[in-house]
Amino acid sequence: MTETLLDVKDVVVEYPLKGFRREPFKALKGVSLDIRPGETVGLVGESGSGKTTLGRAVLGLAPVTGGSIKYRGEEISKASRAKRKELSHEIQVVFQDPYTSLNPSMTIEQILTEPLTVRKVERQTANKRVADLLDQVRLPQGAAHRLPREFSGGQRQRVAIARALALDPKLIVCDEPVSALDLSTQARVMELFIEIQERTGVAYLFVSHDLAVVRHLSHRVAVMYHGEIVEWGDGEQVTGAPEHPYTQRLFMAAPIPDPDRQAKHRADRIRLLELQNQQDLQAGAA
Amino acid sequence: MIETPLALPVTAAKVSLFRRLLTHPTGAASLLVLFLVALASALAPILATHDPNTANLQDVLAKAGSEHVLGADSAGRDVFSRLLFAGQFSLAGALVALAVALVLGVTAGLIAGYYGGWFDAVSSWLTGLMMALPGMVVLLAARAVVGPSMWLSMMIFGVMLSPAFFRLVYASVTAVRNELYVDAARVSGLSDFRIIGRHILTVVRAPVIIQSAMVLGIAIAIQAGLEFLGLGDLNIPTWGSMLNDGFINIFKSPTLVLWPALIIGLVCIALTLLANAMRDELERSRGPVKKSRKAAATAAIADAAGAAEKRGAAAVVHPDEPGADKSELLLEVTDLGVGYDQPDGSTTHVVNHVNLTVRRGEVHGLVGESGSGKTQTAFSILRLLPQGGRITGGSIFFEGKDLAHLSEKDMTKVRGKRIAYIPQEPMSNLDGAFTIGSQLMEPMRVCLGISKTEARKRALALLAKVGIPNPERTFNAYPHQISGGMAQRVLIAGAVSCEPDLLIADEPTTALDVTVQAEVLNLLRELQDELNMGVILVTHNFGVVADLCDRVSVMQSGRVVETGPVRAIFNGARHPYTRQLLDAILEDTAPRGQYNPAGTTAEPQELKGVAS
Amino acid sequence: MYRFVLRRLFSGVLLLFVITTVAYLLLYAGGGDIARRIVGPTASDAQVALKASQLGLDRPLVVQYWDWLTNALTGDLGRSWFNGQLVSAGVSSRLSVTISLVLGAVLIAAVISVVIGVWAAVRRGWVDRVVQFVGVLGFAIPGFLIALGLVSLFALNLKWFKATGYVPMTTSFGGWAATVTLPIIALSIGCIAAVVQQVRGSLIDALRQDYVRTLRARGLSFNRVVYKHVLRNAGGPALAVLAVQFIGLLGGAVIVEQIFALPGLGQITVAATGQGDIPVVMGVVVATAAIVVAVNLIIDLAQGWLNPKVRLS
């Protein structure tokens, strides 16, 4: 079979709370999933479900207190700074908010060469790389010497994607990268994600609250709820015929952009909620 | 001890600050004054006519004249020469204080802000301790022990001033530390050292320079004060000791006090004005960034609107479906224009020639992407446009009155009672200083003129009605104690509390999770049905439109491009922009499909009609 | 709420303890040969040793401190080394003068700042620009220069007020007012300038908050929203600046008292500092720290009242 790129097993992330002898806050309560090369794994959930924390744990930005995260068989959940530096060639990130993920006082060129400076790449090579990256994300070459504020949200997100691609990573953690964008911009940026994946074979851990986005992009989908994965499997299966009650509720809650189908969908949702309530009652009585 | 500006702008300056200061009137003047004073002090040995410390009994309190340009002091020393030499000591003393404060404050601020932990706790506590005592009292106490050394006093004062820098740097660093771009740098493997140098120092540099000018002024003032009390080193000339001498002899020679006072005042004012000029310049360069989203959108609108005007494009209007409900027309917006006055006197138009109608009991969706002017249109109906915005044309007829031309007093009577509003962000739209209950009761008491007990009864009933499980507890809670979904229910309760005829809902579910959104949409439908309200629903989500709306207007660049019954829009959109929006909807696209390890996954699902 | 008050009270007492301890150790350890300074350079070594043992200076520092602390807790701050007066009596008799000056200046500043700050923030335009510019000037000019200017203009040239001296409030209110008016004006100008800036700034911020629009959309008038909601939310930062200003004024008062020859804390501080009269200096530090702790406590409680988040977390 194909090798596994990233293997997340029983990961626990806890944040200490202020105050004497307070129980730490458990953002992740033992989460497992795996990603294969060139695959997109969608991570869907509502706010506070822990989906962003899982992404940050993979990136080494969240305190992993239990379980393991293995990249190509190597444990990385407690990687040192030096190890992280090596890993920056393998794992990269695109964040949600295109307005705060780029330093407002740096030019696009400076932003894109920042990851390269760690590698001590020569100036000329770096410049060529910047030109190449701008091409890849379909931004004009003139963009290099401009400041982020001169770009729209969609363009900024392209810059962020270019920065992630700078070191030719094998895995990109995408934390809600299209959520802050307008509908049509969102569609174009998603096409860019797919196109880059087809060309470079990069894998994505794609975190989003939007079911339609995840469905469109992901080969496999994990649904998170209260720090746990409640459903995990083939994208078509999970987004088409969900089995877990929460996933069902989640999918029934999203309104369908068609008045007549939405009217039916709404009625279905109410029926589902009643059914689940009854089941809960029966479970309680039993 | 001194106030520290915490939220200073981040510089994005491309032109050097110094060069821009030269074009700023007070900035350039302040720089000039400071430069001249520094130059005169530096050249004191050349410019001075007398030795500053040579006393001459014949010249005691001599008047200004040919021998002494500015007269002589109580010991017969030349005032002009003393002023020049005093400048050397006074400025150097202030610089010593500044240097100590800078080194201590900035270093500690960087470390504490970036790493946190015990260093943060200790240094923050020490800062509080140092700021708890007046600097003057500490200096006096220190003087009692160490004696009259100006340099030592200024070093101690430097320590006392370091919190000014500590707090400034600390605040900037903690703000930047959690910025996503710093996270991205960490993921790229940059060392802490590089991150601080590259991302954090650039942010704190400008505020620190500004603060330095302020601190220098304070140091000069405090030093002069100390010397003025006669507690300074008598062997060196300073402005403060000259002031002391002048004040003792104020009856005999009133001008003696004037010169040092003048120069101290001048330097302090110049430093403060310089700091302000720098802040002005930084804010100006930052201005367009701060409101970049709005401004960029606005500018784009203005351009696009101009282009549309040239094309003469009219909105596509779909006829009503046969047999559609023909209830009374509640709101009729005709040819509405909204503009923002610019500093240069021009007006940027963000809404142009918008026509809109709402019938009683009808939900009219206003759809468009960011910057399309949909929210501006909604605010103009409420007459609550942000500062600088105004209605530039057209009419808004509501119950026979043109709201566009109503007095503010009459408009206040319309708001709340006749037209209500549901905002987008639940948390920021509640006043954190008052309980939920008091915020619900206050408008009811004002609009309906009911008693407190009656208002309380109604507020509790409303909370129960919008599905809050424990109304009593929520009534007594403060906004930060409830969840976002609950807060949005509270805002909805507030909006319908005076049973309005028209409800304006600005993206009422955008900030909510999907499952909460579904519940809030249900609640809105029930309330709308029960109260038979007309609703303007601003949204960018076609799912929400399909769920609630009877009519839809699609806005682009401040104009309505297409309007009609909801089914006509979804099934027969004619305007290219509407079609583009509908095609970008993902709900109906096929899922990605199976993972194919060979690397060549199946052809990607093309999105219809989206130009890349 | 009780826990909030208790916690603030405890941290205030702790602060007072730490400040006085640090001050005591620094003052007594750093003073060099204190006994020699008191008896004078011509005295014999035996006289110096005698003086030192009279004052208890030959004991270990920790013992001296413990002695001082236990006495201080009973209100006994020792005696001046030079005139033998009780420090507590000397300090407390002058405290009322300084407090009436500083409190007067702060209260006047608070009222004027709110009025001007609201005016500038709501009206904006030229009103705002003038207020800002005058504010910068007022902030920039050191308070004692203003005091000097006031003395020479109103007291020496126009002769509207007495230049110097003090009449206790209990003797004659009119006389008191006449002697403190100029000092209070001198002290309050810088304070007003600083607080106006803060009030204006935080009001403008608060006016931009979303809830302002929502409350107005519910039918509340602009003025009602400003005075009931916006001002309360802007009050927190303004109070914080006022507290900082209060502490600063305690220092500024030293110089202003000197200029107007008022018998306040500043007077004995300057005298004691010049002589190196450590017990008196220590007494002044204790008094100042106590005032600061009290002011901070009051401001904290006010903050808690204004902002439920502060008191409930």
Side-chain angles (χ1 to χ4, degrees), chain A residues 2-3 36-40 45-47 56 59 61 81 84-85 87-88 91-93 95-97 99-107 110-111 113-115 117-118 120 138 147 149 156 158 163 167 182-188 190-191 194 197-198 204 209-213 215-219 234-236 239 246 249-250 252-262 266 269-270, chain B residues 10-14 114 179-192 194-195 198-200 202-203 285-286 288-289 292-293 296 368-371 512-519 521-522 525 540-544 546-549 566-567 570-571 577 580-582 584-597 599-607 610-612:
Chain A
T2 345
E3 58 159 332
R36 295 166 289 192
E39 184 186 33
T40 303
E46 296 188 293
S47 53
R56 292 181 70 87
L59 294 166
L61 297 173
R81 210 53 191 257
R84 273 283 152 205
K85 198 166 151 184
L87 274 174
S88 66
I91 307 178
Q92 272 297 332
V93 63
F95 285 113
Q96 165 175 14
D97 189 345
Y99 289 90
T100 59
S101 66
L102 307 177
N103 187 335
S105 59
M106 283 162 72
T107 63
Q110 286 171 325
I111 289 168
T113 49
E114 181 171 72
T117 56
V118 182
K120 304 213 167 35
R138 309 275 157 72
L147 291 172
R149 67 159 180 248
R156 284 179 195 222
R158 283 169 194 266
R163 174 176 58 191
L167 293 172
D182 273 329
L183 207 54
S184 46
T185 318
Q186 173 179 323
R188 286 195 288 266
M190 281 167 59
E191 288 322 302
I194 292 182
Q197 184 167 59
E198 313 259 300
Y204 297 133
H209 71 280
D210 190 326
L211 314 168
V213 167
R215 175 183 164 88
H216 185 69
L217 282 173
S218 312
H219 300 105
D234 178 61
E236 209 164 343
T239 61
Y246 171 72
R249 283 206 301 278
L250 190 65
M252 290 314 280
I256 296 176
D258 180 292
D260 299 314
R261 276 164 52 210
Q262 169 58 16
R266 193 161 59 219
R269 170 174 174 269
I270 289 164
Chain B
V10 180
T11 176
K14 285 274 103 177
Y114 190 76
E179 287 282 0
L180 291 175
Y181 59 78
V182 172
D183 278 343
R186 281 202 195 108
V187 172
S188 293
L190 260 71
S191 62
D192 284 349
R194 277 193 104 107
I195 290 177
R198 239 186 127 104
H199 293 283
I200 292 180
T202 48
V203 170
S285 71
R286 174 113 171 113
V289 188
S292 62
R293 285 184 231 199
E369 303 198 315
S370 53
L512 306 176
D513 275 324
V514 209
T515 45
V516 183
Q517 165 173 292
E519 286 162 22
L521 288 176
N522 269 349
R525 188 192 346 276
H540 67 278
N541 184 331
F542 279 101
V544 171
D547 191 62
L548 274 183
C549 295
V566 66
R567 282 176 185 79
F570 273 103
N571 303 329
Y577 179 70
Q580 185 193 327
L581 282 183
L582 290 170
I585 292 172
L586 295 167
E587 265 77 5
D588 290 335
T589 57
R592 180 77 184 271
Q594 288 288 322
Y595 167 67
N596 183 344
T600 49
T601 30
E603 274 298 293
Q605 179 69 28
E606 270 300 320
L607 288 170
V610 175
S612 223

Side-chain angles (χ1 to χ4, degrees), chain A residues 124-157:
Chain A
Q124 222 172 356
T125 331
N127 286 347
K128 250 171 70 191
R129 184 76 184 132
V130 169
D132 176 46
L133 286 169
L134 289 175
D135 260 356
Q136 282 196 46
V137 297
R138 309 275 157 72
L139 282 175
Q141 290 300 324
H145 301 291
R146 299 216 182 171
L147 291 172
R149 67 159 180 248
E150 296 172 67
F151 296 90
S152 70
Q155 289 168 326
R156 284 179 195 222
Q157 208 53 302

Side-chain angles (χ1 to χ4, degrees), chain C residues 78-279:
Chain C
R79 285 175 184 277
S80 158
W81 285 341
F82 291 87
N83 57 26
Q85 257 195 346
L86 274 175
V87 172
S88 51
V91 169
S92 59
S93 68
R94 286 165 171 89
L95 207 55
S96 62
V97 178
T98 303
I99 288 193
S100 63
L101 282 188
V102 173
L103 207 59
V106 164
L107 290 180
I108 287 175
V111 173
I112 294 181
S113 309
V114 168
V115 173
I116 299 181
V118 171
W119 192 40
V122 172
R123 286 286 293 275
R124 302 303 293 269
W126 67 267
V127 172
D128 191 22
R129 280 196 292 276
V130 170
V131 166
Q132 286 222 68
F133 189 75
V134 175
V136 167
L137 285 188
F139 188 72
I141 304 172
F144 62 91
L145 286 189
I146 296 175
L148 279 177
L150 290 174
V151 165
S152 48
L153 182 64
F154 291 107
L156 300 183
N157 289 333
L158 297 174
K159 302 202 190 311
W160 287 0
F161 294 94
K162 267 175 71 179
T164 56
Y166 181 74
V167 177
M169 204 190 300
T170 45
T171 313
S172 148
F173 185 82
W176 174 81
T179 49
V180 297
T181 303
L182 288 183
I184 286 183
I185 292 175
L187 283 175
S188 59
I189 285 181
C191 186
I192 293 173
V195 183
V196 162
Q197 289 294 337
Q198 184 60 53
V199 170
R200 171 196 170 271
S202 37
L203 262 179
I204 289 176
D205 280 349
L207 278 170
R208 286 204 198 107
Q209 297 297 311
D210 287 342
Y211 65 77
V212 173
R213 181 184 302 116
T214 302
L215 286 169
R216 289 190 65 197
R218 294 245 191 96
L220 302 184
S221 69
F222 180 71
N223 283 339
R224 191 184 174 109
V225 174
V226 167
Y227 287 106
K228 182 158 179 194
H229 296 268
V230 175
L231 209 52
R232 180 158 178 176
N233 279 280
L239 269 182
V241 170
L242 206 62
V244 171
Q245 286 297 317
F246 193 105
I247 297 173
L249 286 187
L250 284 175
V254 173
I255 306 179
V256 170
E257 283 169 11
Q258 204 71 5
I259 292 173
F260 292 95
L262 296 173
L265 265 188
Q267 219 179 40
I268 51 165
T269 316
V270 172
T273 300
Q275 291 174 311
D277 196 347
I278 305 288

